Amino acid sequence: MARILIGWASRAGAASDIAALLADELRALGHDVDVADLRTRPDASSRDLVVLGSGIQAGQWYPEASAWVAANESTLSTTRVALFNVCLNAAQPSKRDESLGYNKAVLSRVDPVALESFAGRYAPDKVTWFKRLFLRTLQQSAQDHVDEKAVRAWGREIVELVPL
Ligand SMILES: Cc1cc2nc3c(=O)[nH]c(=O)nc-3n(C[C@H](O)[C@H](O)[C@H](O)COP(=O)(O)O)c2cc1C
């Protein structure tokens, strides 16, 4: 049984839903899983695997996720880490490199065993007027691409990387 922390940062709920799906999958495999909003500054120590995920705005992880990674850099350097982001570009296979590229800033601080980008959702009612203006320039309408099967499959993949 592995001790696993899944930390997430979310605005529209896609990254937190994905974190919950991963937790469900890993618990079903018999692992000990804590799931935490990174704003609560969870403890990274004594974990066999730390899974970190953030939604993306303007090509960046959310600030609380980047801040938590910076604050825990030294613990993470001796821990197996898997990273994922959640964005709309990931819904388009032709934009996979761009989507994975949104993890770049975090990669300067951690060396993950796995890296993923999941397709998220856009819910206009969860976005402020000012940010909707930004998105309109990207021509986005309401959409939900969260793919439960893909998320659960990645969960099974990353736990295989933990020697037991
Ligand atoms: C203001 C704003 C900026 C965004 N910028 C990007 C972007 O640069 N690239 C992208 O692929 N998706 C972008 N998105 C889409 C989000 O990444 C998507 O809604 C994702 O589901 C967010 O994760 P969350 O639901 O956990 O907050 C943006 C969304 C908003 C509201």
Side-chain angles (χ1 to χ4, degrees):
M1 178 185 73
R3 289 157 305 167
I4 301 170
L5 170 67
I6 303 176
W8 56 266
S10 188
R11 296 285 179 277
S16 52
D17 285 356
I18 287 170
L21 287 170
L22 287 170
D24 187 59
E25 188 68 25
L26 298 179
R27 283 181 184 134
L29 292 171
H31 300 291
D32 176 8
V33 184
D34 289 331
V35 188
D37 180 341
L38 290 171
R39 286 174 299 191
T40 68
R41 299 180 191 166
D43 183 7
S45 60
S46 307
R47 312 285 182 166
D48 300 305
L49 175 67
V50 173
V51 185
L52 297 174
S54 173
I56 295 294
Q57 286 192 3
Q60 303 293 324
W61 277 42
Y62 294 147
E64 67 269 28
S66 306
W68 187 88
V69 169
N72 291 278
E73 192 172 347
S74 132
T75 309
L76 296 177
S77 71
T78 57
T79 309
R80 234 168 257 98
V81 180
L83 301 177
F84 70 89
N85 70 42
V86 184
C87 63
L88 288 182
N89 276 344
Q92 299 180 57
S94 64
K95 294 195 172 171
R96 177 148 177 91
D97 287 348
E98 192 179 333
S99 307
L100 284 168
Y102 295 149
N103 294 322
K104 192 174 169 195
V106 186
L107 291 178
S108 66
R109 294 191 181 275
V110 292
D111 183 16
V113 294
L115 194 62
E116 192 47 280
S117 179
F118 290 114
R121 63 172 68 109
Y122 175 54
D125 56 317
K126 297 231 166 130
V127 178
T128 61
W129 174 87
F130 181 73
K131 287 187 173 174
R132 278 208 302 276
L133 206 64
F134 170 84
L135 272 186
R136 210 162 292 143
T137 65
L138 298 176
Q139 296 179 318
Q140 299 294 355
S141 52
Q143 52 199 284
D144 187 344
H145 306 281
V146 175
D147 179 348
E148 178 172 345
K149 273 192 185 162
V151 173
R152 289 183 180 278
W154 191 70
R156 292 192 296 275
E157 216 175 276
I158 56 175
V159 88
E160 286 286 314
L161 302 172
V162 181
L164 293 174

